[in-house]
Amino acid sequence: MKFIKRATTAILAAVMCLSFSSCGDTSYIAKAEGETIPAGLYILSQYAALAEAQQTSGYDSSLKNIWDNKLENKSLKNWVNDRALELVKQYAEVEKEFKAEGLELDEDTIKEVDNTVESNWASVESLYTAIGVAKESYRLYLLNQQKYYEIFDAYYGEGGKEEISDDSLTAHYQENYAQFKAISFSKTDSAGKDLDASALVELKNKADQYLERAKAGEDFDELIAQRKKEISTDTSDTEEEEDQEVNNMIMIKKDEASWYVSNKLSNAVFEEAEIGEPILLSDDNAYYVVLRYNVTDDEETYQKMRQSVLLDLKQDDFDEMLMTNAKSLDFTLNESAAKRYDPKKIEKEQKKAAQAQS
């Protein structure tokens, strides 16, 4: 069973169902195809939409009040609510198409969802409670995510209606992903202070020496180990690494931020580094002797990443199809609920939770 998490899944796990009563029944956000959708799915979608907005071009994170942002000529609040409603409709469409395709989640998948709910709940219950979330709605959302991927595979996976060939997947993988190893030469000292001009020249000379050794065919992993010994202040760390196999391979995706690699270095790897040819690259932080590898040579990693590559290739098309199909849903919005739930509360409770943890 493939339990796949999109980048937003970890974020979405932080909120769920809210059921209040007021002048209207606001315990549900809509009715679609005869099924009632809990209000928690709308709150969940607001949370996801807010996270999406913060990664959207035009969003200004420097504003003291984030709600002063405008996206696509809309206030941030309206943008978030509109996007949240789209996601609720996608939820409903997934439920509809899953039934129409005659699909069922297997016992292992359901068990894994239940285990995920239980394992996450204890650590985030205080935040959920502050927002007014319910565990069962969290479960409904995760089950819907699994149904999403089952339908996706029914379209694009092996034997699917629009099956993507291995050749197409491999070509996309080679074009958009890169594997490399790097020997790093930091432009700051041990205290984090920038090196002066003369020290930078000396550092560049050291990097050039390693580059020539790499070009001469010395084992790249051994060169990495030697460089670590040169700069290490804790010999126990290097001795421990010598006793175990260290995987120095780094995987990056084109035009996608990485925790480990700066955008400048990532772009240089794709644009300048030739497979099998050591090269000296740099960014604001360091010089790097880089050796790029052919991603398809690592069959084990490719098989692990195959589903992610397929999603990368076709997920936008799939989401667009779902949204197009959702236009024909028998869908009735609960206006009272839509007006009641304010995404500003989500942001407020996020701040409280962050302050409590600091």
Side-chain angles (χ1 to χ4, degrees), residues 145-159:
Q145 285 288 289
Q146 293 307 310
K147 294 173 183 178
Y148 173 100
Y149 293 119
E150 294 274 359
I151 302 168
F152 182 89
D153 279 342
Y155 273 88
Y156 306 113
E158 186 175 352

Side-chain angles (χ1 to χ4, degrees), residues 262-279:
S262 69
N263 290 339
K264 185 175 182 179
L265 178 58
S266 179
N267 291 337
V269 169
F270 279 103
E271 295 170 5
E272 302 177 42
E274 298 292 336
I275 292 172
E277 297 293 331
I279 186 174

Side-chain angles (χ1 to χ4, degrees), residues 37-99:
I37 302 175
L41 272 299
Y42 180 61
I43 298 170
L44 177 66
S45 298
Q46 287 177 314
Y47 196 95
L50 178 57
E52 184 179 329
Q54 291 169 336
Q55 300 174 38
T56 299
S57 176
Y59 179 88
D60 187 353
S61 59
S62 68
L63 292 178
K64 185 175 181 180
N65 182 3
I66 70 166
W67 301 103
D68 289 336
N69 271 285
K70 285 186 177 293
L71 296 177
E72 300 175 359
N73 295 319
K74 298 178 183 178
S75 69
L76 178 60
K77 179 178 175 179
N78 287 343
W79 191 97
V80 167
N81 284 340
D82 288 349
R83 178 59 178 149
L85 185 56
E86 286 183 348
L87 293 175
V88 168
K89 289 181 178 179
Q90 179 176 291
Y91 173 96
E93 183 61 30
V94 166
E95 294 293 319
K96 176 184 175 182
E97 296 208 17
F98 192 78
K99 292 179 182 177

Side-chain angles (χ1 to χ4, degrees), residues 15 32 45 59 79 81 84 92 149 155 182 188 197-198 208 237 254 259 263 302 318:
V15 291
S45 298
Y59 179 88
W79 191 97
N81 284 340
Y149 293 119
Y155 273 88
T188 59
S198 62
D208 285 334
D237 287 344
K254 186 181 290 185
W259 286 105
N263 290 339
Y302 174 62
F318 184 59

